[in-house]
Each structure stands twice: as C-alpha cells, then as structure tokens.
Amino acid sequence: MFSLNPQSGIPLYRQLVDQVKLLVAGGQLKAGAPLPSVRELADKHAVNPMTISKAYSLLEAEGVLLRQRGKPMTVAAHNRQGPEAQILLAPLIHQLIQSARQLALGDDDIIQAVRQGLEQHHD
Amino acid sequence: MFSLNPQSGIPLYRQLVDQVKLLVAGGQLKAGAPLPSVRELADKHAVNPMTISKAYSLLEAEGVLLRQRGKPMTVAAHNRQGPEAQILLAPLIHQLIQSARQLALGDDDIIQAVRQGLEQHHD
Amino acid sequence: MFSLNPQSGIPLYRQLVDQVKLLVAGGQLKAGAPLPSVRELADKHAVNPMTISKAYSLLEAEGVLLRQRGKPMTVAAHNRQGPEAQILLAPLIHQLIQSARQLALGDDDIIQAVRQGLEQHHD
Amino acid sequence: MFSLNPQSGIPLYRQLVDQVKLLVAGGQLKAGAPLPSVRELADKHAVNPMTISKAYSLLEAEGVLLRQRGKPMTVAAHNRQGPEAQILLAPLIHQLIQSARQLALGDDDIIQAVRQGLEQHHD
DNA sequence: GTGGTCTAGACCACA
DNA sequence: GTGGTCTAGACCACA
C-alpha cells in the first residue's frame, strides 16, 4: 500500500504523509478505516517506529487521521472535502514538466515518456 | 535557468545538481559553457553560497563540471555520453504514476492531468 | 526562563510548549526575539535535544514560533492577538479550585493558600 | 465525585489517585466508606476498567484504600494522619504562580484571577 | 494489542 | 553555529 524510498532525498515520514493523503483523497482509504499499526508498518518497511509515528502525528494534526487511545489510527470522518486529484498531483507534474523543459523536450516527448512509463507499470 | 524550491523537501544542493545535469543532457548547457558564479546564484536564489558551492563540487566530482582556477566553472567537455532523457526523467515519472495510482486515477486521467499541466506552463 | 519538571506527569515537551506560549503572551518574549538553541536548552535542562526540538516544532506548527533555516527559532511576528492571560491560566485555576473543593476548602481558604504561596515565591 | 480529563496530559490513573487522596484528606471520603466499583467508574467516565483498577491498586499500596475480597474497596481506617491541605495543594499553587509569572502578572492579578475563577465555579 | 515519550548518538542540510 | 532526520532501544498509558 505504501512505498518508502530512502534514496529519494525526501524524508521518509514525509513520503508516508503524502501517500496517506493520496490514498484518502483517492478513496482507497475510506473514513473510519484503520491504518496499519506503527509497528506493523515499521517492520514491513524496515523503518524505525518513531518515523512512522511522526507521520501519523502530522496527519492527525492536519485532521486527516484520528487518534483514539489504545486503538489503531483511523481515517478521519469529516476530512474536509478532499482536495481534487489535480491539486495533489500538481507539484509532481510541475516538477516533471520543469525537468523535461531543462532536457529540452517538447510537449509530445513528455506525453510520450509518460505513456511509456504507464506501460511499464502495467506489469 | 534554475529553480530552487525550499519547500519541496528535496535538499537545495540536490535540486541544483539535478537541474545542471538535465540542462547538460538536454544540450542547453554545452561543453565549455560557463556556469553562473557561486555568488551570483546564491544572491539570485537567496541561498547561502556554501550551498551552491557544494552542488558545484559534487558536479565536479561526477565529471559534469570543470573547475579552473580563477575562472567560472564550465561544463566538462567529455561528459561521458549524457544519459538518455528517458532515464533522467524515469524517477519523476515513476513517482507521478505511483501517486496517481494512489489517487485511483486511470491511465487516461494521468495523461489528461499532464496535458493540463503543459497548457498551464505555456504562459 | 523555563522550568522543566520530569516528575509532574506532564510530558516535558508539553511543559515547554506551554511556557513559551505564556512568555509570548506575557510579552517577555517579543516578536522577533530568538529562542535559546535546541542544544543550549537541552544541555541546561539535562534533556534530550529531540525533546526540545519536538516542542519547537509544535510551536512552529501553531504559528507561535518561526523557523528560519540555519538560524535560531524566533517568536513569530503576527502571533494572532495573544490570548488573554485569563484564558491561559483558566485550566490551572480550574484544577486548583476543583482540588480545593475535594479538600472541602472554602473560598477564603483557597485565597489564603494562594497568598501563602505568593509569599513563599518572593524569595 | 471524580472528574477525569483525558486532554490534560496527566495520566488518567494518576488523576484518579490524586482525587481520591484529596477527598480522603478533606473528609468527604471517611474511613470505611466504600468507593464506586471499578466497573461503575469505568462506565461513567468512559474509561477502560483496567485504568481504574490500576489507580485503586496504587491507592491500596499506599495504604489509602483497603481491598477486601468480594466487597467494594473502602477507605482505610488508619490513613496515617492525612497530610495538610496546604501540602496537597502546593504543587498546583506553585504551578499557577509560575505560569502567572511567565505571563508577567503581579500578585494582585493572580488573586484576582483566582477570585474570578471561584465566582464562575459557584454555578 | 495500540500509540507516546524519552534517551543516546550518528549524520545531514543550511547560514 | 543552527535545526532536521533517523536509529535502536527502554519504558509508559491505555483498551
């Protein structure tokens, strides 16, 4: 469900925060759904529990997750009108386009590259 | 020419390194071309000169740039067959697709979102 | 300036958060004023730097403090109309009165006890 | 009779322990008096029975309560000369004064704030 | 079982 | 110099 990449330069806890938001916005994590426990995620991704815990705490502070004592974290019920997909993807698309421009690629090249990527991801 | 975003979570020096590589691979920085001075870049982007300097040093170590005493850094002549655009963009495309999947978007939605991004960038 | 008590049952980071808020509300920490560095506070109070850091991060998230890369944390400029002293003290006064009532003390006894406390604090 | 506040940062079992001590010291719980059952308290305050049980056990270990098989816990007969009210309130008063000082309040302001609190509690 | 707090200590990014 | 991230590991509060 989650994919953490220690090489990406982006802090692990932040990768997790972003991915939870995406899954909630995409409806794959529905209101009330429990998240994996801190320990479970930590084991699965070979990461320190505190790193997971930090991400969960930030998500609670943002109102995405709900903390109930002694129970697993759950997706908050009233997550205020999830932002549009477009908005969540915008930074990534922006960065992709910027990088492609620096590579002197044209619009068609970019679309083409994305299409190729999509094909490879159909494995 | 460069665009540094302190909010992105990616270290500034790494953003700069990546962008220089893209510009070289894309031919917008040709062999022998001079780079902006450390101070110039630092001022322009409101960043500490040491941050720029670190990026330049890494690029020198990787053979992308050439340092000559008393002169600006230049693009190295023999930058060993710049990697294909596809390879440089791959991580970004991968991350875009992964995020879109977490948003439960289909292939067409993704292409569509990229197209919209491209249009906005034609400003 | 700060006083951390590990015995109180209240998490150290939370004690610090509360005290910073009080000092800001009371005007003893003015807008723009730098806070002690994480390490300095940690050494002074024999506490782990991460504990201090966590408090500072929470205060930044609440808009009380400002984080500038490479520089000490400072008191945020526009800390939105500091809450009245009355409001910040309310929980403490509430708890004092509740405890005194459980002790079967009358109003005068409570005032008297506070007066005695004040005298002792004039040392 | 009891008031548990999960937000206060102070562990629930500890809040309960403290309040029992106050009630005993204040004479509102006399020697031999029965305490509410674990289940009753747990239900009433929407708290796990083990939390109540832990508090009761600590109070028994301290000699404040007496556990008899099959009967409710009772206030111990010889509770060694309950400490003076002043001593039990001291930590609260200390914390109040410290916080008020950080708010830059004078003695009169503090007394005034307590008086206001007392009036509101006469509801 | 759940998450929370704290420590000791390494290493990083930035000014 | 500043704060940030992460780890390994102990112990706590609560369900």
Side-chain angles (χ1 to χ4, degrees):
Chain A
M1 191 168 218
F2 301 110
S3 154
L4 300 182
N5 172 14
Q7 312 307 329
S8 82
I10 299 173
L12 294 172
Y13 77 89
R14 195 166 160 170
Q15 295 181 38
L16 187 49
V17 164
D18 289 344
Q19 293 181 29
V20 169
K21 285 185 191 171
L22 289 168
L23 289 164
V24 169
Q28 300 186 51
L29 280 177
K30 294 188 201 309
L35 275 90
S37 81
V38 168
R39 288 161 172 83
E40 186 184 335
L41 264 192
D43 284 359
K44 191 166 182 178
H45 293 91
V47 143
N48 192 288
M50 274 192 60
T51 302
I52 309 289
S53 188
K54 180 171 183 177
Y56 278 7
S57 291
L58 287 171
L59 286 162
E60 188 213 3
E62 291 195 56
V64 177
L65 298 187
L66 212 81
R67 153 179 291 135
Q68 290 159 289
R69 311 182 78 131
K71 298 204 213 155
M73 308 278 295
T74 52
V75 176
H78 299 289
N79 62 83
R80 31 173 185 168
Q81 178 61 351
E84 295 302 320
Q86 188 67 19
I87 289 173
L88 284 170
L89 285 191
L92 287 175
I93 290 178
H94 172 80
Q95 207 196 332
L96 171 62
I97 293 175
Q98 174 190 291
S99 296
R101 291 264 180 273
Q102 289 175 328
L103 269 172
L105 296 188
D107 287 11
D108 291 346
D109 298 318
I110 297 173
I111 295 291
Q112 183 59 16
V114 173
R115 280 199 203 283
Q116 283 186 25
L118 284 169
E119 277 173 30
Q120 288 167 18
H121 279 262
H122 281 174
D123 306 345
Chain B
M1 191 168 218
F2 301 109
S3 156
L4 299 182
N5 174 13
Q7 313 305 329
S8 80
I10 300 173
L12 296 172
Y13 80 90
R14 194 163 161 173
Q15 295 181 39
L16 188 50
V17 164
D18 289 345
Q19 292 180 32
V20 170
K21 285 184 191 172
L22 289 167
L23 289 163
V24 169
Q28 299 185 53
L29 279 178
K30 295 188 201 309
L35 275 90
S37 77
V38 166
R39 216 175 339 164
E40 186 184 337
L41 264 191
D43 284 0
K44 190 166 184 178
H45 293 92
V47 144
N48 193 293
M50 278 189 53
T51 301
I52 309 291
S53 190
K54 178 172 180 178
Y56 277 5
S57 292
L58 285 170
L59 286 161
E60 186 200 7
E62 291 195 57
V64 178
L65 298 186
L66 215 77
R67 165 172 275 136
Q68 293 159 290
R69 307 182 65 116
K71 296 202 213 159
M73 305 276 298
T74 53
V75 177
H78 300 287
N79 60 83
R80 32 173 183 167
Q81 178 61 351
E84 295 302 320
Q86 189 67 18
I87 290 174
L88 283 172
L89 286 191
L92 287 175
I93 290 179
H94 171 80
Q95 208 196 333
L96 172 62
I97 293 175
Q98 174 190 292
S99 297
R101 292 263 181 272
Q102 289 175 329
L103 269 171
L105 295 188
D107 287 11
D108 291 346
D109 298 316
I110 297 173
I111 295 290
Q112 184 59 15
V114 174
R115 281 199 203 282
Q116 283 186 28
L118 285 168
E119 278 174 29
Q120 287 167 18
H121 280 262
H122 283 174
D123 304 344
Chain C
M1 191 167 217
F2 302 109
S3 155
L4 299 181
N5 173 13
Q7 312 307 329
S8 81
I10 299 173
L12 296 171
Y13 78 86
R14 193 166 161 169
Q15 295 180 39
L16 187 50
V17 164
D18 290 344
Q19 292 181 31
V20 169
K21 285 185 192 171
L22 290 167
L23 289 164
V24 169
Q28 299 185 53
L29 279 177
K30 294 187 202 309
L35 274 90
S37 81
V38 167
R39 288 160 172 83
E40 186 183 335
L41 265 192
D43 283 358
K44 190 166 183 179
H45 293 91
V47 142
N48 190 287
M50 273 192 61
T51 301
I52 309 290
S53 188
K54 179 172 182 176
Y56 277 7
S57 290
L58 287 170
L59 286 162
E60 188 213 4
E62 291 196 54
V64 177
L65 297 187
L66 212 81
R67 155 177 292 134
Q68 292 158 288
R69 308 181 80 130
K71 299 204 213 156
M73 307 279 293
T74 52
V75 176
H78 299 289
N79 61 83
R80 30 167 186 177
Q81 178 63 351
E84 295 302 320
Q86 189 68 19
I87 289 173
L88 285 171
L89 285 190
L92 287 175
I93 290 178
H94 173 79
Q95 207 195 333
L96 171 62
I97 292 175
Q98 174 191 291
S99 296
R101 291 265 180 272
Q102 289 175 327
L103 270 170
L105 296 187
D107 286 12
D108 291 347
D109 299 317
I110 297 173
I111 295 291
Q112 184 59 18
V114 174
R115 282 199 202 283
Q116 283 186 26
L118 285 168
E119 278 175 28
Q120 288 167 19
H121 280 262
H122 283 174
D123 304 344
Chain D
M1 192 167 217
F2 301 110
S3 154
L4 299 183
N5 173 12
Q7 312 306 328
S8 81
I10 300 173
L12 296 172
Y13 80 89
R14 194 164 160 172
Q15 294 181 40
L16 187 50
V17 164
D18 288 345
Q19 292 180 29
V20 170
K21 286 185 189 172
L22 289 167
L23 289 164
V24 169
Q28 299 186 52
L29 279 177
K30 295 190 202 308
L35 274 90
S37 77
V38 165
R39 218 177 336 167
E40 186 184 337
L41 265 191
D43 284 357
K44 191 166 183 179
H45 292 91
V47 145
N48 192 293
M50 278 189 53
T51 302
I52 309 292
S53 189
K54 178 172 180 178
Y56 277 5
S57 292
L58 285 171
L59 286 162
E60 185 200 7
E62 291 195 57
V64 177
L65 298 186
L66 216 75
R67 165 172 276 137
Q68 293 160 292
R69 307 182 66 117
K71 295 202 216 160
M73 304 276 296
T74 53
V75 176
H78 300 289
N79 61 82
R80 32 171 184 168
Q81 178 61 352
E84 294 303 319
Q86 188 68 20
I87 290 174
L88 284 170
L89 286 190
L92 287 175
I93 290 178
H94 172 79
Q95 208 196 331
L96 172 62
I97 294 175
Q98 174 191 291
S99 296
R101 293 265 180 273
Q102 288 177 327
L103 270 170
L105 296 189
D107 287 11
D108 291 347
D109 299 316
I110 298 173
I111 295 291
Q112 184 60 14
V114 174
R115 281 198 203 283
Q116 283 186 26
L118 285 168
E119 278 176 28
Q120 289 167 17
H121 281 262
H122 283 174
D123 305 342

